[in-house]
């Protein structure tokens, strides 16, 4: 029926005639529609819905036992909508629920897809004869799942609420201030565990210098003899003089040396003489309490670990000579007597010399020659030589006709593990002393033995540090190379954990600190726990994986485990200590005690957690020379298990991951023609053959794609796994290619390799975007728009490898697909990490062979840019970027809050699911406030005087240098 209305051009809309005509037309249309038969009438989905719900006898309902709250098909949409509306999200996220309908056996089946940040991603309802009922059935199923997982409370209300700012401030304060005092081990377990027995055999470890000329005098190798064979000690550097260094070579012999009682007594006497003459420490002879013995090595011996008769290495003649207290002196001694002797002042532990020869031009009562090392008494040479106690000095009648000899003073620089300081350099310029022999003692130790003995404190201190580090590894039951074990537990400044910051109270001579090992250990910890969770919980969704992984790898968990293991006492926070290197357990008869109280050291909770990650890194790096992933990762896997102490990670070898993996049904089900075709295309493009094509299909299923269409889950599980695997491959590459770069640099440049912007470009480069399955026109538009821009940028780049940095960020689904594909390859290959490395080398490494082209990319990172702005532009050092996990109080996902504090004032903060993203947001927030400030404005606004203090400190250093120069 057509109704034709004719209006005159002069008639205005709303005139009485037009209103009458319109009203008459509506009446005609109404009568026409009412006259149609029932089968011609169209109704909406909700027409007579209440009647339809009443007729359906199979409809479910749920009543909460405690509160009586009832969930029905009718109320499920409202409950679900309320839940989705309460999900935490930022301003850029749109919370949308999608209902996807399908038909099966003439009935409707609906799948509801929730937003990506929902803990439950989808649910499928029971079949129904009406779409409206099927839709409510899906909503009902989703609500039941949410209630079972406690995301709805007993009143069917969401458990998500806003966190309290007060909690945030308290957590930040805890993160800044939280330190505790712990006892610090100064001796390894090996010494004390061997006490109590009189040995009949000993193991020899020979100590040599590769450049003995650095001592500036002849030397003789030294042997350390122990009840238990020492492990292989790595070479380490000594700095015995201003312009030369020497490596210490420790050779541990495999065969024990038989030691009869007479030989043991000789070794005992030599060791006690060694400490008495060189260091003025007189110990009681207690064989059962000796930690080790010392002996000179015959210089003519050929040293190797496989010497069949170790006793032949010992210079027994020198050992026997040392049993005498001293070399007797007489006034008639020939001039040759005064050549090449080690001379001891029995009245002063600080005065030791190497004799040069007679100085006939001087007499005992002559004035002390200019340039002589300053002493307490300087009236004349005889007075200079006599350090008797005051009463003894007055009573002494010394020979005034005795000879004078020249000797070189032994400066007490025991910490040879560090480069010589300017003060020590200045002191070493004066070494000549003119002495009278009557009040002095000529040691029975040859000068070669004495020369090596004077560097022994530094050597044994480093050896004991290695042994303590290995003791820490024994707590975890892992095998680690000594150098890496020590590096993992070394904290050489108060703020070692603040990568890129100026070090506070830096302790010299400790070697490498734990920073780099913590960097790679943290990555392996993330990968190991991700694999374990994926393998043992194949039906969990990405949200559950993240929550469980957070519980495993969080600093709090690592710290608690470390406390149970007493790990803080093994951490090294002090450089060489003058009072603690001596052997422990012996009764001291003369000399200064080391102190009754054991040394204590303050450690932050985060430092303890960082050391845990560094130990994992040490276990990983120690095994890199082994063949195959199993050998390469086994000890690191064991370390992770020991430190997380959680049923979700109980593996002790790499192969255990695959052993616990139960393949889900979707993976092993027969592939459709479409899925098999996808696997064939990917194999021809990338060269990897998939055993399970449905696993590959899962890597290309967008979360918006209904599960009911292919019965394959979306890529989010595989993406969770692939993200950790790809992180490991990238960090491995940077860690080994740039062995001298600090974690700050490594982190900044890793950002380029794992950024969404780069992985989105890789996705397009490999053509993955063509195989992605999704449900939504918006996703299609975003992908098409990005691909066009990227391909244009690549064409215009002329072969430049960083073309991808010039385009906008890709839709997140593209980088997700790359990570999901890596995860799929890993699972399909039965957890073969070599396949991950192969993908990295073929498709990623090429872009980063020259990392310098990404320096700008790294510097544009908000955190890096902020650091450079504060330190370089503003000259500020008193700032900290803090991050802390916020515990969930209502079942919501765990979040991390980060804040930038400048002179104890918070100026920027951010919140995200990870510490990395939270710090980026906090940095961006702070940059907005600091942008445009001149340095003087910054100093006024934030009361910063760092640059003034630095200037004053430099002036003070210059003044001291000028003073020293004028004194010289």
């Amino acid at each position: 029926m057509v109704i034709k209305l004719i209006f005159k051009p002069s008639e205005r809309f709303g005139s009485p005639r037009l209103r009458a005509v319109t009203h008459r037309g509506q009446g005609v249309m109404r009568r026409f529609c009412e006259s149609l038969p029932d089968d011609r009438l169209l109704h909406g989905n909700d027409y007579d819905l209440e009647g339809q719900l009443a007729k359906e006898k199979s409809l479910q309902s749920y009543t909460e036992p405690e509160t009586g709250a009832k969930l029905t098909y009718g109320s499920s949409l409202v409950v679900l909508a309320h839940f989705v509306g309460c999900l935490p999200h930022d301003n850029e996220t749109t919370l949308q629920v999608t209902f996807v309908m399908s038909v099966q056996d003439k009935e409707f089946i609906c799948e509801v897809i929730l937003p990506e940040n929902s803990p439950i991603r989808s649910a499928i309802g029971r079949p129904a004869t009406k779409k409206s009922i099927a839709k409510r059935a899906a909503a009902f199923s989703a609500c039941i799942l949410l209630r079972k997982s406690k995301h709805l409370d007993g009143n069917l209300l969401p458990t998500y609420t806003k966190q309290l700012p007060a909690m945030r401030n308290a957590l930040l304060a805890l993160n800044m201030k939280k330190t505790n005092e712990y006892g610090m081990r100064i001796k390894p377990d090996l010494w004390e565990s061997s006490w109590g027995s009189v040995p009949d055999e000993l193991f020899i470890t020979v100590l040599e210098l590769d450049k003995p000329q650095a001592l500036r005098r002849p030397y003789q190798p030294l042997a350390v003899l122990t009840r238990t064979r020492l492990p292989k000690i790595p070479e380490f550097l000594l700095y015995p003089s201003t312009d030369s260094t020497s490596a210490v070579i420790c050779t541990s012999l495999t065969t024990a040396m038989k030691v009869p009682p007479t030989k043991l007594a000789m070794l005992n006497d030599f060791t006690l003489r060694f400490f008495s003459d060189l260091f003025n420490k007189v110990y009681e002879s207690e064989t059962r309490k000796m930690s080790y013995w010392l002996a000179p090595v015959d210089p003519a011996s050929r040293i190797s670990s496989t010497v069949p008769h170790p006793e032949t290495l010992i210079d027994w003649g020198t050992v026997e000579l040392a049993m005498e207290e001293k070399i007797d002196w007489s006034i008639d001694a020939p001039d040759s007597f005064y050549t090449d002797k080690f001379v001891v002042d029995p009245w002063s532990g600080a005065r030791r010399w190497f004799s040069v020869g007679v100085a006939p031009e001087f007499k005992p009562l002559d004035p002390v020659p200019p340039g002589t090392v300053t002493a307490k008494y300087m009236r004349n040479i005889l007075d200079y030589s006599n350090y008797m106690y005051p009463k003894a000095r007055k009573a002494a009648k010394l020979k005034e006709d005795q000879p004078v000899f020249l000797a070189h003073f032994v400066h007490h620089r025991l910490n040879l593990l560090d480069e010589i300081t300017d003060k020590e350099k200045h002191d070493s310029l004066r070494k000549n002393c003119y002495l009278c022999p009557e009040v002095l003692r000529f040691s029975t130790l040859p000068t070669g033995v004495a020369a090596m003995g004077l560097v022994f404190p530094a050597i044994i201190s480093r050896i004991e540090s290695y042994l303590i580090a290995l003791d820490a590894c024994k707590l975890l039951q892992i095998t680690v190379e000594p150098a890496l074990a020590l590096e993992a537990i070394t904290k050489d400044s108060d703020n070692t954990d603040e990568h890129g910051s100026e070090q506070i109270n830096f302790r010299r001579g400790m070697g490498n600190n734990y920073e780099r090992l913590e960097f790679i250990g943290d990555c392996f910890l993330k990968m190991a726990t991700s694999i374990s969770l994926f393998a043992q919980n194949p039906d969990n969704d990405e949200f559950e994986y993240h929550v469980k992984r957070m519980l495993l790898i969080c600093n709090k968990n690592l710290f608690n485990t470390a406390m149970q293991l007493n790990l803080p006492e093994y951490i090294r926070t002090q450089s060489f200590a003058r009072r603690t290197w001596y052997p422990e357990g012996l009764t001291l008869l003369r000399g200064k005690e080391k102190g009754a109280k054991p040394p204590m050291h303050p450690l932050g909770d985060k430092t303890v957690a960082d050391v845990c990650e560094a130990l994992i890194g040490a276990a990983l790096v120690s095994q890199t020379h082994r063949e195959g992933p199993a050998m390469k990762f086994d000890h690191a896997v064991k370390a992770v298990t020991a430190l997380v102490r959680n049923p979700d990670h109980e593996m002790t070898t790499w192969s255990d991951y695959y052993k616990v993996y139960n393949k889900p049904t979707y993976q092993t089900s027969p592939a459709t023609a479409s899925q098999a075709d996808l696997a064939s295309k990917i194999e021809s493009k990338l060269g990897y053959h998939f055993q399970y094509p449905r696993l590959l299909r899962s890597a290309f299923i967008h979360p918006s794609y209904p599960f009911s269409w292919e019965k394959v889950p979306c890529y989010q599980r595989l993406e969770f796994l692939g993200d950790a695997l790809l992180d490991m491959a990238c960090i491995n590459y940077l860690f080994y290619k740039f062995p001298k770069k600090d974690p700050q640099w490594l982190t900044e440049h890793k950002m380029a390799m794992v950024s969404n912007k780069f992985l989105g470009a890789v996705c397009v480069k490999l053509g993955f975007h063509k195989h992605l399955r999704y449900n939504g026109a918006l996703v299609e538009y975003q992908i098409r728009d990005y691909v066009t821009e990227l391909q244009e940028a690549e064409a215009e780049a002329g072969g430049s490898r960083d073309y991808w940095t010039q385009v906008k960020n890709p839709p997140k689904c593209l980088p997700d697909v790359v990570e999901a594909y890596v995860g799929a390859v890993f699972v399909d290959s039965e957890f073969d990490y070599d396949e991950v490395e192969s993908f990295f080398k073929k498709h990623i490494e090429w872009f980063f062979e020259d990392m310098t082209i990404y320096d700008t990319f790294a510097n544009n990172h908000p955190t890096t840019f902020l650091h450079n702005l504060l330190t370089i532009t503003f000259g500020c050092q008193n700032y900290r970027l803090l991050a802390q996990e916020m515990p969930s109080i209502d079942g919501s996902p765990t979040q991390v809050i980060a804040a930038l504090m400048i002179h104890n004032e918070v100026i920027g903060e951010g919140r995200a699911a990870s510490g990395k993203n939270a710090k980026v947001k906090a940095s961006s927030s702070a940059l907005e406030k600091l942008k445009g400030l001149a340095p003087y404005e910054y100093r006024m606004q934030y009361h910063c005087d760092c640059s003034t203090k630095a200037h004053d400190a430099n002036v003070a250093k210059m003044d001291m240098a000028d003073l020293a120069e004028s004194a010289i």
Side-chain angles (χ1 to χ4, degrees):
M1 180 178 68
V2 177
I3 300 176
K4 189 174 182 180
L5 302 176
I6 299 175
F7 303 105
K8 295 180 180 180
S10 60
E11 289 184 316
R12 295 168 54 188
F13 183 76
S15 65
R17 180 175 177 277
L18 284 179
R19 284 200 300 270
V21 171
T22 302
H23 181 72
R24 188 162 55 251
Q26 289 173 347
V28 172
M29 180 63 72
R30 185 181 302 109
R31 288 192 295 273
F32 170 79
C33 292
E34 289 174 349
S35 66
L36 291 172
D38 290 341
D39 60 349
R40 297 287 303 279
L41 297 178
L42 297 177
H43 300 290
N45 286 337
D46 294 340
Y47 172 76
D48 194 24
L49 179 62
E50 295 300 327
Q52 292 293 335
L53 290 174
K55 293 178 182 178
E56 291 278 357
K57 297 181 180 180
S58 63
L59 298 186
Q60 298 171 288
S61 66
Y62 168 78
T63 303
E64 181 65 30
E66 294 184 4
T67 63
K70 188 173 183 179
L71 178 70
T72 64
Y73 274 32
S75 63
S76 59
L77 285 176
V78 176
V79 172
L80 187 61
H82 187 200
F83 171 81
V84 171
C86 292
L87 287 173
H89 64 286
D90 53 36
N91 295 331
E92 299 176 0
T93 304
T94 302
L95 299 179
Q96 182 178 356
V97 179
T98 303
F99 292 92
V100 179
M101 205 69 62
S102 61
V103 178
Q104 182 177 333
D105 297 331
K106 298 183 180 182
E107 288 188 304
F108 295 103
I109 297 178
C110 182
E111 179 179 356
V112 58
I113 302 174
L114 302 182
E116 290 189 28
N117 57 342
S118 170
I120 303 296
R121 287 306 322 282
S122 68
I124 299 176
R126 287 186 174 185
T129 56
K130 295 286 185 180
K131 288 184 179 180
S132 56
I133 298 177
K135 179 179 179 181
R136 285 159 175 77
F140 181 88
S141 296
C143 291
I144 292 298
L145 290 175
L146 290 169
R147 178 63 189 126
K148 285 182 178 180
S149 56
K150 298 183 179 179
H151 297 299
L152 293 176
D153 63 16
N155 294 309
L156 303 181
L157 297 175
T159 56
Y160 293 98
T161 59
K162 291 185 178 180
Q163 305 287 349
L164 300 176
M167 177 187 291
R168 177 204 67 199
N169 295 333
L171 287 170
L172 284 176
L174 178 68
N175 192 45
M176 273 196 72
K177 308 284 186 181
K178 187 66 174 178
T179 58
N180 291 297
E181 289 276 340
Y182 301 97
M184 184 176 70
R185 288 196 173 223
I186 57 175
K187 298 295 176 185
D189 293 336
L190 180 65
W191 297 158
E192 188 173 353
S193 64
S194 63
W195 291 348
S197 64
V198 177
D200 56 8
E201 65 176 21
L202 294 172
F203 287 88
I204 293 178
T205 299
V206 179
L207 310 179
E208 300 176 274
L209 301 181
D210 75 329
K211 296 178 181 177
Q213 62 271 24
L215 296 181
R216 305 275 174 89
R217 65 180 58 256
Y219 100 115
Q220 190 169 347
L222 202 60
V224 178
L225 298 97
T226 55
R227 293 177 176 89
T228 305
R229 185 182 178 226
L230 294 185
K232 183 179 179 181
I233 302 296
E235 293 185 12
F236 54 93
L237 278 182
L238 294 183
Y239 299 85
S241 53
T242 305
D243 54 358
S244 58
T245 62
S246 177
V248 178
I249 302 171
C250 303
T251 306
S252 180
L253 274 62
T254 56
T255 304
M257 178 182 76
K258 297 298 180 182
V259 188
T262 54
K263 295 281 189 180
L264 185 62
M266 293 172 65
L267 293 172
N268 215 60
D269 289 347
F270 178 87
T271 304
L272 297 178
R273 174 69 55 213
F274 181 92
F275 286 108
S276 170
D277 285 8
L278 289 172
F279 307 108
N280 197 38
K281 289 286 190 293
V282 178
Y283 294 104
E284 186 176 336
S285 180
E286 300 170 284
T287 304
R288 293 180 182 275
K289 291 186 178 180
M290 294 288 283
S291 299
Y292 52 84
W293 291 262
L294 300 171
V297 173
D298 188 342
S301 300
R302 297 186 63 181
I303 298 168
S304 74
S305 60
T306 58
V307 173
H309 302 288
E311 64 276 3
T312 61
L313 294 179
I314 305 299
D315 183 356
W316 290 107
T318 299
V319 172
E320 188 173 0
L321 181 63
M323 295 177 71
E324 300 295 330
E325 182 179 355
K326 61 181 179 179
I327 301 176
D328 292 330
W329 169 83
S330 71
I331 198 169
D332 299 326
D335 288 355
S336 60
F337 178 87
Y338 300 97
T339 302
D340 198 29
K341 294 283 194 304
F342 184 65
V343 185
V344 177
D345 187 342
W347 306 96
S348 171
R351 304 218 304 169
R352 302 286 188 272
W353 303 269
F354 288 103
S355 68
V356 178
V358 170
E361 68 273 24
F362 293 107
K363 302 298 181 186
L365 298 182
D366 286 349
V368 177
T372 302
V373 175
T374 305
K376 186 176 181 180
Y377 306 107
M378 299 287 290
R379 187 161 48 93
N380 55 49
I381 294 177
L382 187 61
D383 186 54
Y384 179 89
S385 307
N386 184 8
Y387 255 60
M388 291 180 177
Y389 301 138
K391 288 185 179 180
R393 281 175 62 85
K394 289 181 180 180
K397 294 182 180 180
L398 303 179
K399 297 179 177 65
E400 297 180 358
D401 59 343
Q402 60 183 296
V404 173
F405 67 96
L406 171 65
H408 288 162
F409 184 74
V410 176
H411 290 280
H412 277 249
R413 180 176 168 255
L414 299 181
N415 185 15
L416 302 181
L417 296 168
D418 182 30
E419 296 181 23
I420 189 168
T421 63
D422 291 339
K423 181 181 183 304
E424 291 167 341
K425 199 179 297 183
H426 171 252
D427 291 343
S428 67
L429 296 176
R430 296 190 180 193
K431 62 180 181 180
N432 287 346
C433 296
Y434 293 89
L435 304 167
C436 294
E438 185 177 2
V439 293
L440 304 177
R441 180 161 59 82
F442 291 86
S443 174
T444 56
L445 297 177
T447 53
V449 173
M452 186 62 176
L454 290 171
V455 302
F456 178 74
I459 294 174
I460 194 65
S461 175
R462 178 56 56 86
I463 289 175
E464 289 181 335
S465 292
Y466 283 132
L467 295 177
I468 291 171
L470 293 177
D471 287 341
C473 294
K474 288 179 185 176
L475 297 176
L476 311 180
Q477 299 180 354
I478 56 175
T479 301
V480 177
E481 294 175 4
L484 292 169
L486 179 57
E487 183 178 335
I489 63 169
T490 297
K491 175 181 170 64
D492 60 1
S493 67
D494 290 354
N495 60 332
T496 301
D497 56 319
E498 295 176 21
H499 308 316
S501 301
E502 183 177 350
Q503 291 179 304
I504 301 172
N505 294 331
F506 175 64
R507 271 82 74 181
R508 303 166 61 95
M510 295 187 71
N512 296 333
N513 63 34
Y514 63 70
E515 284 184 311
R516 276 178 57 90
L517 290 176
E518 181 244 330
F519 174 75
I520 196 169
D522 171 70
C523 185
F524 186 85
L525 174 63
K526 174 185 173 183
M527 181 183 76
T529 51
S530 299
I531 296 171
S532 175
L533 291 171
F534 182 91
Q536 297 182 90
N537 306 279
D539 295 326
N540 282 175
D541 59 26
E542 185 191 23
F543 172 80
E544 291 173 298
Y545 286 150
H546 278 290
V547 171
K548 288 182 177 180
R549 187 175 69 186
M550 182 72 75
L551 294 174
L552 291 173
I553 70 175
C554 67
N555 286 338
K556 182 178 181 181
N557 184 44
L558 296 176
F559 172 77
N560 289 339
T561 302
M563 294 305 298
Q564 294 171 21
L565 296 171
N566 292 324
L567 187 61
E569 66 184 47
Y570 294 88
I571 298 174
R572 318 312 295 155
T573 59
Q574 294 181 11
S575 57
F576 177 85
R578 286 174 169 268
R579 304 239 180 250
T580 59
W581 71 267
Y582 299 102
E584 201 169 41
L586 297 176
T587 303
L588 184 65
L589 302 178
R590 190 183 73 205
K592 291 183 179 180
E593 292 279 3
K594 69 176 183 181
K597 294 183 178 179
M600 305 289 288
H601 57 170
L603 295 172
D605 292 358
K606 185 178 183 301
T607 294
V608 177
D610 287 348
V611 167
C612 292
E613 294 174 338
L615 284 168
I616 296 171
L620 175 64
V621 177
S622 286
Q623 302 300 311
T624 53
H625 62 281
R626 303 289 183 88
E627 293 293 330
M631 294 303 294
K632 185 161 56 177
F633 293 149
D634 276 358
H635 286 289
V637 171
K638 189 181 293 185
V640 171
T641 297
L643 288 168
V644 301
R645 286 199 175 182
N646 191 291
D648 282 330
H649 193 288
E650 295 181 328
M651 295 77 187
T652 56
T653 65
W654 180 261
S655 60
D656 288 344
Y657 291 122
Y658 189 69
K659 289 177 183 176
V660 301
Y661 178 58
N662 292 318
K663 300 182 185 70
T665 304
Y666 89 86
Q667 178 180 334
T668 57
S669 298
T672 64
S674 172
Q675 294 162 356
D677 181 62
L678 172 63
S680 176
K681 290 178 178 177
I682 293 296
E683 182 178 0
S684 63
K685 175 81 173 177
L686 275 70
Y688 180 80
H689 174 75
F690 268 86
Q691 303 178 64
Y692 303 102
R694 289 171 64 84
L695 188 65
L696 175 63
R697 170 68 86 200
S698 180
F700 290 96
I701 296 290
H702 190 270
S704 65
Y705 195 77
F707 176 81
S708 57
W709 290 0
E710 287 202 53
K711 301 295 188 296
V712 173
C714 74
Y715 58 58
Q716 290 183 316
R717 293 180 178 88
L718 291 172
E719 178 225 336
F720 169 84
L721 178 62
D723 169 70
L725 292 166
L726 209 50
D727 257 19
M728 190 74 238
C730 294
I731 285 175
N732 255 333
Y733 174 76
L734 292 173
F735 186 87
Y736 290 108
K737 185 171 183 179
F738 303 99
K740 301 299 182 183
K741 294 296 186 181
D742 60 59
Q744 178 80 10
W745 187 95
L746 294 173
T747 301
E748 290 166 356
H749 288 74
K750 182 202 77 168
M751 291 298 181
M753 305 176 79
V754 299
S755 65
N756 284 343
K757 182 174 280 192
F758 170 67
L759 293 180
V762 172
C763 181
V764 175
K765 186 82 171 175
L766 298 177
F768 283 175
H769 64 290
K770 301 174 183 176
H771 306 294
L772 180 61
R773 298 208 166 186
Y774 46 83
N775 180 33
L778 179 60
V779 176
E780 182 180 3
Y781 167 76
Q782 291 173 335
I783 292 174
R784 185 173 63 250
D785 186 47
Y786 170 76
V787 170
T788 302
E789 183 179 345
L790 180 72
Q791 291 175 339
E792 289 176 355
E794 183 178 10
E796 295 171 1
S800 176
R801 304 185 186 193
D802 62 341
Y803 65 89
W804 56 271
T805 62
Q806 307 304 316
V807 299
K808 63 185 177 185
N809 287 328
K812 189 175 181 302
C813 59
L814 297 186
D816 287 352
V817 165
V818 175
E819 294 171 339
Y821 173 80
V822 171
V825 168
F826 180 75
V827 175
D828 187 79
S829 63
E830 299 182 356
F831 292 20
D832 184 357
Y833 181 77
D834 285 348
E835 290 294 343
V836 179
E837 288 283 357
S838 175
F839 178 86
F840 175 84
K841 291 181 181 298
K842 289 179 181 177
H843 308 297
I844 294 180
E845 184 176 338
W846 177 83
F847 289 91
F848 299 100
E849 288 177 341
D850 179 10
M851 288 301 296
T852 59
I853 64 177
Y854 298 105
D855 287 344
T856 303
F857 184 92
N859 291 333
N860 286 337
H861 188 272
T863 304
T864 304
F865 188 83
L866 177 66
H867 169 74
N868 292 336
L869 178 68
L870 290 170
T871 56
I872 299 174
T873 305
F874 296 147
C876 181
Q877 297 295 335
N878 191 357
Y879 71 91
R880 298 187 74 180
L881 183 58
L882 309 166
Q884 177 68 44
E885 295 156 6
M886 296 183 61
S888 171
I889 59 176
D890 53 13
S892 60
T894 302
Q895 282 199 311
V896 177
I897 180 93
L900 176 78
M901 299 189 75
I902 296 178
H903 291 276
N904 297 321
E905 178 184 350
V906 177
I907 71 161
E909 61 182 65
R911 186 182 303 212
S914 67
K916 176 181 70 176
N917 293 333
K919 286 184 177 181
V920 168
K921 289 185 177 181
S923 300
S924 300
S925 173
L927 285 171
E928 288 297 320
K929 295 182 180 179
L930 298 175
K931 193 181 298 181
L933 286 181
Y936 76 90
E937 293 175 319
Y938 173 86
R939 290 192 290 270
M940 290 179 59
Q941 185 169 338
Y942 297 104
H943 311 290
C944 177
D945 58 354
C946 296
S947 56
T948 304
K949 289 180 179 179
H951 174 74
D952 293 343
N954 288 331
V955 170
K957 288 181 182 178
M958 292 173 63
D959 291 344
M960 288 298 293
D962 293 342
L963 184 61
E965 186 177 350
S966 62
I968 294 172

